[in-house]
Amino acid sequence: MHLKSTYVGSLLKVTVTCSCGHEVIEWESQPKIGRAPVGNLIGAAAILLSGNTFKNVAQVTNLMGVQFFSETVFYDIQRNLLLPAVNNYYINESQSDIENFQGQSLWLSGDGRCDSPGYNAKYCSYSMMEMSSQQIITFDLVQVSQASSSVGMEKVGFVNCMGKMADAGLSVGVMATDRHVGIWEVLEDYKEVDHEFDIWHLTKSIGKKLTSKARLKGNEELGPWVNSIKNHLWWSAQNCGGNYLLVEMWTSIVHHVSNVHEWNSSDLFHKCAHVPLPENVERSKKWLTPGSKPHQALSEIVFDKRLLKDLKHVTKACHTGNLEVFHNVLLKYCPKRLHFSYPVMQARLQLAVLDHNHNVGREQAVVQRSSVRSAPEGTKRWRYAYSKAAKEWLSKPVMERKDYGYLKELMVDVLRIKEGTFQPQVSALPDIPPNIAPIPRPPVTELQDKAKSRFVK
């Protein structure tokens, strides 16, 4: 008897032959669909659907001594099976969401995210979120070759997203974005859309300016007021009910920080909205003297002409903070330090949207079983972290675990496509060049001749 073992990726095949050379038994460790081992198919699917990369997983299996399929096999499965399956599933989910939003005047927030910092980004994904449900309703992936420069990609993505909204028959009532000049110019043509600036970005910008001013010599007393001033802008936007009142409410901060709580210099807003402050209580922040250096520094920021002009776009207190949560999810599927081709980048963005939309609105987790070190059973769970920026300890809720049951459905779709029992929907990708180089590649020999190290003698 003779045993012969061979591998086809993750599949082990054992052939037993007798002494006369006759094949007696042929055994395989897993089923196959056609000639493809199922383990290879679901292994490749698990890599992409979990947001991993082949190289990372292959290194793990290599260290464990586990037989695995090759990189060529993975990319072949990804191109022919995984990308179509993900695209089909995303289309169905997106169509279902669009049907739910039909007939409504939607309040959306939008923001762009480039694949690398600075001015050398190749991709920019622009996403739009419906504010009440916090679901991503559409997105667009832009390659730099589709725009005038990497800076212009966000505007192109926004225009494409608005086009998708129109094609889907959805009505946009409010659109909240950052203060991107190009997007502001585009929305000037959408008279029916109320363009709001993101109060979160605006507050963050003001906070940076205040912090920068407070670091200057003589302005140290302004530092403790930074968070209070940022909170005041949020409060003003939430309670103003109109542009003119918002300006007066916002600029009133220069009076409050000086311990002046009533004034006659405004038309509508004449006093602070808080209750009278006790005079015999020790304060954590010193009042600023009117006309002092820190007070003048604050006034320069508060009365900035562009800021006062932009306040008319924050009267509804809209923000894109929840979009930043989605961008954190994007990092799992599209890490900025890795490059992906356009079709793969598109699929990974679709997976990020599915991940976010399927798990948005989770409740805060509770303690399932109490122990010596935990809170009583049924108590809401929290985690605690020290913030370097705020210089204090913060408590953050621990949410329930995510539900990835939909990924099982996706894996079944992959197998069905391979079997030939399922035909996925196909979406046309934009006609873009294979790379973003502005000039053709020189001959290989010429490039190799240039590759000389200064350390080689």
Side-chain angles (χ1 to χ4, degrees):
M1 302 289 286
H2 175 69
L3 295 177
K4 180 182 178 182
S5 300
T6 56
Y7 291 96
V8 183
S10 61
L11 178 144
L12 169 63
K13 180 179 179 180
V14 179
T15 304
V16 181
T17 57
C18 67
S19 56
C20 298
H22 300 114
E23 185 176 297
V24 180
I25 300 174
E26 183 178 274
W27 176 83
E28 294 178 338
S29 62
Q30 57 186 258
K32 294 192 294 187
I33 299 178
R35 298 177 60 184
V38 172
N40 291 3
L41 299 175
I42 62 176
I47 291 174
L48 178 64
L49 300 185
S50 63
N52 272 296
T53 61
F54 174 82
K55 288 185 177 180
N56 286 346
V57 176
Q59 186 176 19
V60 172
T61 57
N62 182 54
L63 290 172
M64 295 175 63
V66 176
Q67 186 65 30
F68 208 51
F69 46 86
S70 68
E71 189 172 11
T72 302
V73 170
F74 169 76
Y75 286 116
D76 183 62
I77 295 173
Q78 177 177 257
R79 180 178 60 256
N80 296 318
L81 301 176
L82 302 183
L83 300 187
V86 171
N87 182 64
N88 179 83
Y89 197 93
Y90 172 79
I91 290 175
N92 291 335
E93 290 283 310
S94 179
Q95 289 175 345
S96 176
D97 292 338
I98 288 173
E99 291 175 2
N100 294 333
F101 292 123
Q102 289 288 348
Q104 303 180 34
S105 180
L106 301 177
W107 285 39
L108 304 181
S109 59
D111 196 14
R113 182 256 194 192
C114 291
D115 66 332
S116 61
Y119 298 93
N120 60 346
K122 180 180 180 180
Y123 297 119
C124 176
S125 60
Y126 199 91
S127 309
M128 288 186 176
M129 174 182 286
E130 201 279 320
M131 293 187 196
S132 61
S133 65
Q134 298 181 23
Q135 286 194 321
I136 302 297
I137 196 168
T138 189
F139 77 89
D140 189 70
L141 178 63
V142 181
Q143 184 172 286
V144 67
S145 56
Q146 298 174 273
S148 58
S149 65
S150 59
V151 178
M153 289 193 292
E154 186 168 350
K155 177 181 176 181
V156 174
F158 175 80
V159 172
N160 292 343
C161 282
M162 291 297 287
K164 292 178 181 180
M165 296 293 293
D167 293 341
L170 297 177
S171 174
V172 180
V174 176
M175 186 73 233
T177 70
D178 57 16
R179 295 190 289 174
H180 192 287
V181 176
I183 293 176
W184 178 81
E185 291 175 349
V186 171
L187 281 172
E188 285 289 291
D189 297 330
Y190 288 83
K191 304 300 182 183
E192 73 282 2
V193 178
D194 185 358
H195 185 199
E196 287 284 298
F197 288 151
D198 172 26
I199 185 68
W200 183 82
H201 272 103
L202 184 60
T203 304
K204 184 179 179 181
S205 173
I206 291 174
K208 287 183 177 180
K209 293 178 180 179
L210 289 169
T211 302
S212 178
K213 290 279 190 181
R215 288 173 179 166
L216 299 178
K217 186 177 181 180
N219 290 346
E220 292 82 3
E221 292 182 353
L222 179 60
W225 284 99
V226 171
N227 284 335
S228 298
I229 296 169
K230 290 164 60 179
N231 291 338
H232 175 72
L233 178 57
W234 274 91
W235 175 84
S236 300
Q238 291 172 334
N239 295 276
C240 66
N243 171 47
Y244 194 69
L245 182 59
L246 172 58
V247 172
E248 293 194 359
M249 293 174 73
W250 162 241
T251 56
S252 70
I253 191 66
V254 297
H255 300 296
H256 174 82
V257 298
S258 302
N259 198 21
V260 176
H261 306 291
E262 292 188 23
W263 54 90
N264 296 318
S265 57
S266 301
D267 296 329
L268 301 173
F269 197 68
H270 303 288
K271 65 178 181 178
C272 293
H274 58 73
V275 298
L277 301 177
E279 298 181 359
N280 57 347
V281 176
E282 184 178 355
R283 294 186 52 80
S284 59
K285 297 188 289 285
K286 292 183 179 180
W287 298 113
L288 303 184
T289 304
S292 64
K293 189 174 180 180
H295 191 267
Q296 289 178 348
L298 172 61
S299 298
E300 289 177 8
I301 296 175
V302 170
F303 291 100
D304 179 78
K305 290 183 179 180
R306 185 191 173 190
L307 173 60
L308 296 180
K309 180 181 178 181
D310 289 345
L311 286 181
K312 68 179 181 180
H313 292 288
V314 296
T315 55
K316 292 181 172 61
C318 299
H319 67 88
T320 62
N322 292 320
L323 263 176
E324 298 300 323
V325 176
F326 169 65
H327 287 169
N328 281 334
V329 177
L330 262 181
L331 289 174
K332 171 185 175 181
Y333 296 92
C334 307
K336 293 190 175 186
R337 63 184 182 86
L338 298 178
H339 172 265
F340 302 101
S341 65
Y342 189 96
V344 176
M345 192 75 172
Q346 179 93 348
R348 286 177 172 268
L349 279 163
Q350 291 172 336
L351 287 170
V353 172
L354 292 172
D355 186 334
H356 175 84
N357 287 353
H358 274 267
N359 293 288
V360 71
R362 287 174 293 146
E363 299 292 336
Q364 187 173 353
V366 297
V367 177
Q368 299 295 328
R369 184 173 57 185
S370 61
S371 63
V372 177
R373 299 182 60 184
S374 71
E377 185 176 330
T379 306
K380 291 185 177 181
R381 295 177 58 192
W382 299 85
R383 62 185 179 90
Y384 308 97
Y386 181 77
S387 171
K388 292 182 179 179
K391 296 182 179 179
E392 61 180 353
W393 281 88
L394 303 175
S395 59
K396 300 180 181 180
V398 176
M399 311 308 292
E400 293 177 343
R401 289 187 177 182
K402 288 187 174 184
D403 179 13
Y404 288 108
Y406 66 95
L407 293 181
K408 297 290 185 181
E409 300 174 14
L410 254 171
M411 296 187 80
V412 171
D413 288 346
V414 171
L415 300 179
R416 290 171 60 203
I417 294 174
K418 182 62 179 177
E419 289 174 341
T421 60
F422 176 61
Q423 186 65 35
Q425 303 178 63
V426 179
S427 297
L429 294 176
D431 184 18
I432 55 177
N435 60 64
I436 60 175
I439 58 176
R441 190 189 71 183
V444 174
T445 54
E446 181 180 335
L447 293 175
Q448 291 175 349
D449 291 339
K450 290 182 179 180
K452 294 181 180 179
S453 172
R454 67 181 66 183
F455 302 106
V456 178
K457 295 183 180 180

